[in-house]
């Protein structure tokens, strides 16, 4: 329903995506459609800014895990930044915080 | 078919009457006619032909040009007629699908059916309600003689039919691992490999698996990214999280699942849930885990099944009876 996705190609190898709104079963397909084609690039650094995401349910987790696996398989790196406490908790509980790059401070470039 | 035979006559009288009176009543007759025509699947172009023949009868003296213009209108409405018939056939297809899904939901219920074990000294209550027709949540009890009661609660990420189909696979994977049944970390490890190999890349499963030893009253448990449950200590009246770290099933083949323990005394409770419980959204925002605890506290002296039923009813009311996510809640209470 209300989800906006802004894709910015910073360079050949670096893409920054800012997402705003709610990620749930209704909006997840749109998110997947936008993000999945990005993951076919080799050695990509994909930074996703979730600062303006007000709600995300487990469907959203599914999208990001799929993306994470896709990018990793191509030698790239996925970085999620700007997660609220609620979102951070979601990644903690699912154990994903241990294997994914979540909210790390360094060189995110999208503060 | 009666309507078709008489409709020319009826239409004529409606138009005639309206031309004379131009009354509200006359318009209303037109509305009723259209309702009947839709019921009888009269197409738009048929209605135009009707209008043309009616006018020819009422005003035969109209210039030739007017009658020619009807041909164009007829042509255009033929296109609308196609859309109308397509709509009709989609409606009946939709009904067909709906029936099929209903049957599938029943099949799923049978496939995934589990009965709550009745065990001396343990009062168990469980409820699982799907948000849509098919449930992506799952719980399962296995009683191992007098030795233990095993409980699994799982949630497929994703909703609806694909999630439900996935759950059936998990259930069969679990049934085929009897020798591992006792050890939560081994169960989750095996299921993880099954899910990793078999499931679509963006579909994952969270699961909590617990083995309650009846002699020692120790709950052994492990979690694969599942919403943490609560442990209620009756001595202090406190609730604490049943924390266990572990990755979602299906992400990493090599993931391992640590086993945790909790000693359970008389009056203590183990409360397990799916994220449909904690992700319950109300007008005022999400319900917090504290709110959920206060609901449990309100009913704490009731039998376990009544507690879970009552909590479900309260959360359902808070969401105006529209679940956004599948809802599963299990309570195990030690009674002696």
């Amino acid at each position: 329903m209300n989800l906006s996705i802004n894709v910015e190609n910073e360079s050949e190898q670096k893409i920054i995506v800012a997402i705003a709104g709610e990620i749930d079963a209704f909006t997840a397909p749109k998110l997947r459609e936008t993000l999945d084609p990005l993951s076919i690039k080799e050695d990509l650094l994909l930074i996703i800014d979730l600062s303006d995401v007000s709600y995300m349910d487990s469907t959203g987790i599914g999208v990001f895990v799929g993306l994470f696996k896709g990018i990793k398989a191509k030698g790239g790196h996925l970085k999620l930044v700007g997660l609220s406490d609620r979102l951070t908790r979601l990644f903690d509980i699912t154990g994903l915080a241990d294997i994914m790059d979540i909210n790390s401070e360094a060189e995110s470039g999208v503060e | 078919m009666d309507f078709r035979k008489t409709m020319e006559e009826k239409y004529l009288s409606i138009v005639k009457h309206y031309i004379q009176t131009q009354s509200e009543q006359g318009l209303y007759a037109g509305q009723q006619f259209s309702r009947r025509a839709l019921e009888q699947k009269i197409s738009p172009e048929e209605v135009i032909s009707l209008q043309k023949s009616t006018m020819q009868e009422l005003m035969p003296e109209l210039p030739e040009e007017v009658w020619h213009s009807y041909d164009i209108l007829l042509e255009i409405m033929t296109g609308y007629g196609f859309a109308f018939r397509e709509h009709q056939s989609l409606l009946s297809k939709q009904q067909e699908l709906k029936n099929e899904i209903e049957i599938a939901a029943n099949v799923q219920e049978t496939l995934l059916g589990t009965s709550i074990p009745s065990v001396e000294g343990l009062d168990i209550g469980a409820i699982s309600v799907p948000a849509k027709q098919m449930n992506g949540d799952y719980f399962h009890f296995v009683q191992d003689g007098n030795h233990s009661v095993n409980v699994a609660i799982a949630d497929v990420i994703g909703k609806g039919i694909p999630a439900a189909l996935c759950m059936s696979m998990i259930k069969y994977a679990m049934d085929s691992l009897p020798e591992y049944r006792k050890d939560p970390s081994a169960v989750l490890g095996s299921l993880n490999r099954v899910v990793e190999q078999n499931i679509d890349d963006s579909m994952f499963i969270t699961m909590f698996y617990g083995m309650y030893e009846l002699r020692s009253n120790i709950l052994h448990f492990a979690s694969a990214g599942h919403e943490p449950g609560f442990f209620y200590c009756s001595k202090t009246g406190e609730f604490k999280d049943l924390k266990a770290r572990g990755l979602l099933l299906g992400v990493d083949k090599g993931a391992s699942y640590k086993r945790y323990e909790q000693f359970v005394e008389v009056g203590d409770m183990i409360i397990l849930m799916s994220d449909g419980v904690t992700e319950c959204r109300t007008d005022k925002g999400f319900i917090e885990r504290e709110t959920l605890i206060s609901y449990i506290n309100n009913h704490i002296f009731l039998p376990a099944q009544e507690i879970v039923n009552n909590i479900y009813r309260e959360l359902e009311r808070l969401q105006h009876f529209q679940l956004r996510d599948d809802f599963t809640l299990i309570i195990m209470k030690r009674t002696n």
Side-chain angles (χ1 to χ4, degrees):
Chain A
M1 278 185 264
N2 48 351
L3 181 78
S4 82
I5 308 165
N6 184 23
V7 180
E8 209 175 296
N9 290 287
E10 190 130 301
S11 70
E12 269 296 294
Q13 280 347 105
K14 185 176 175 187
I15 299 177
I16 298 174
V17 178
I19 300 172
E22 302 189 353
I23 306 176
D24 58 18
F26 298 105
T27 60
K30 178 182 169 190
L31 186 63
R32 187 173 291 135
E33 268 168 41
T34 314
L35 295 179
D36 276 359
L38 302 177
S39 68
I40 53 170
K41 258 190 185 163
E42 302 273 339
D43 300 322
L44 175 73
L45 171 61
L46 180 61
I47 299 171
I48 299 182
D49 185 0
L50 300 171
S51 311
D52 293 320
V53 172
S54 54
Y55 172 80
M56 179 165 109
D57 69 6
S58 52
T59 330
I61 290 276
V63 176
F64 290 121
V65 177
L67 194 65
F68 165 74
K69 287 179 88 172
I71 289 179
K72 206 176 151 198
K74 295 264 175 195
H77 186 75
L78 172 68
K79 199 178 176 72
L80 302 182
V81 299
L83 285 81
S84 65
D85 289 350
R86 205 175 173 95
L87 259 61
T88 308
R89 180 178 177 272
L90 211 50
F91 281 91
D92 266 336
I93 288 174
T94 49
L96 291 167
D98 296 339
I99 57 166
M100 287 173 71
D101 185 347
I102 308 285
N103 261 354
S104 64
E105 293 293 315
E107 58 160 11
S108 72
V110 277
E111 284 303 319
Chain B
M1 277 295 114
D2 274 346
F3 181 75
R4 263 180 201 277
K5 272 190 204 149
T6 57
M7 73 178 179
E8 252 178 78
E9 218 175 290
K10 249 183 214 150
Y11 190 80
L12 179 77
S13 85
I14 289 171
V15 174
K16 210 169 167 182
H17 179 252
Y18 187 72
I19 289 175
Q20 284 161 6
T21 64
Q22 282 149 52
S23 65
E24 280 286 322
Q25 218 183 351
L27 287 177
Y28 180 65
Q31 275 177 27
Q32 280 187 317
F33 183 88
S34 90
R35 216 166 293 144
R36 287 296 309 263
L38 278 170
E39 271 171 26
Q40 300 296 323
K41 304 196 163 70
I42 308 292
S43 70
E45 62 268 31
E46 278 177 282
V47 178
I48 303 298
S49 304
L50 208 54
Q51 168 77 4
K52 189 177 174 186
S53 60
T54 301
M55 291 309 286
Q56 275 167 336
E57 189 163 337
L58 289 178
M59 300 176 181
E61 70 285 357
L62 279 180
E64 200 58 14
E65 287 86 341
V66 173
W67 308 124
H68 290 325
S69 79
Y70 270 99
D71 295 342
I72 295 297
L73 187 55
L74 207 56
E75 220 30 58
I76 289 173
M77 290 326 266
T78 305
Y80 280 84
F82 281 127
F84 173 68
R85 280 184 287 275
E86 196 176 39
H87 174 74
Q88 295 285 337
S89 97
L90 282 178
L91 274 184
S92 71
K93 260 190 207 143
Q94 192 188 36
Q95 189 56 43
E96 245 170 67
L97 279 178
K98 220 174 138 192
N99 294 345
E100 272 183 41
I101 292 172
E102 221 159 89
I103 295 168
N106 288 337
V107 171
Q108 189 206 17
E109 246 181 72
T110 316
L111 281 176
L112 299 185
T114 185
S115 54
I116 298 171
S118 68
V119 190
E120 174 79 25
L122 210 52
D123 176 19
I124 305 175
I127 186 171
S128 185
V129 184
K132 290 187 188 154
Q133 267 171 311
M134 293 182 86
N135 202 340
D137 279 2
Y138 172 62
F139 71 89
H140 192 60
F141 288 101
V142 178
Q143 188 177 355
D144 185 3
N146 292 324
H147 177 265
S148 67
V149 171
N150 300 309
V151 57
I153 176 167
D155 180 4
V156 180
I157 288 184
K159 294 179 180 71
I161 297 169
L165 289 175
C166 245
M167 224 60 260
S168 308
M169 191 190 89
I170 279 292
K171 144 104 183 181
Y172 280 92
M174 219 154 41
D175 283 351
S176 60
L177 301 167
E179 68 269 35
Y180 295 119
R181 225 171 230 169
K182 287 179 185 164
D183 180 26
S185 54
V187 171
L188 292 183
S190 315
L191 290 179
N192 178 50
R193 287 188 291 277
V194 173
V195 175
E196 212 273 334
Q197 277 165 16
N198 291 297
I199 298 189
D200 173 68
D201 247 10
S202 58
M203 200 177 271
F204 306 95
I205 295 169
T206 74
M207 183 184 273
F208 176 99
Y209 194 93
M211 176 188 65
Y212 188 96
E213 265 185 337
L214 293 165
R215 282 194 201 106
S216 62
N217 289 293
I218 291 175
L219 174 77
H220 302 270
F221 62 99
S223 168
H226 197 80
E227 177 75 23
F230 292 118
F231 175 71
Y232 169 73
C233 174
S234 66
K235 221 179 256 169
T236 61
E238 277 172 341
F239 288 81
K240 65 167 195 176
D241 285 357
L242 270 178
K243 269 190 197 145
R245 279 197 92 83
L247 187 62
L248 292 170
L249 299 178
V251 179
D252 177 4
K253 226 182 351 216
S256 64
Y257 299 90
K258 196 175 165 211
R259 178 168 132 171
Y260 298 79
E261 281 179 10
Q262 175 66 53
F263 178 61
V264 181
E265 294 197 64
V266 174
D268 290 355
M269 294 195 299
I270 296 150
I271 299 143
L272 307 175
M273 65 202 107
S274 65
D275 66 357
V277 178
T278 46
E279 291 288 301
C280 160
R281 263 213 284 197
T282 68
D283 297 339
K284 290 180 203 130
F286 297 99
I287 77 147
E288 299 296 329
R289 283 167 75 83
E290 287 69 32
T291 322
L292 185 62
I293 288 173
S294 77
Y295 283 137
I296 299 170
N297 258 324
N298 286 345
H299 306 292
I300 207 152
F301 296 110
L302 293 174
Q305 190 60 49
E306 284 181 40
I307 303 179
V308 296
N309 290 349
N310 283 333
I311 292 171
Y312 169 68
R313 274 197 292 270
E314 281 179 44
L315 294 187
E316 192 193 26
R317 188 171 45 80
L318 276 181
Q319 294 181 93
H320 305 294
F321 303 96
Q322 289 235 299
L323 288 188
R324 286 178 69 105
D325 199 354
D326 305 329
F327 178 106
T328 302
L329 185 63
I330 295 175
I331 289 184
M332 299 166 81
K333 198 185 211 175
R334 183 178 165 196
T335 51
N336 68 46

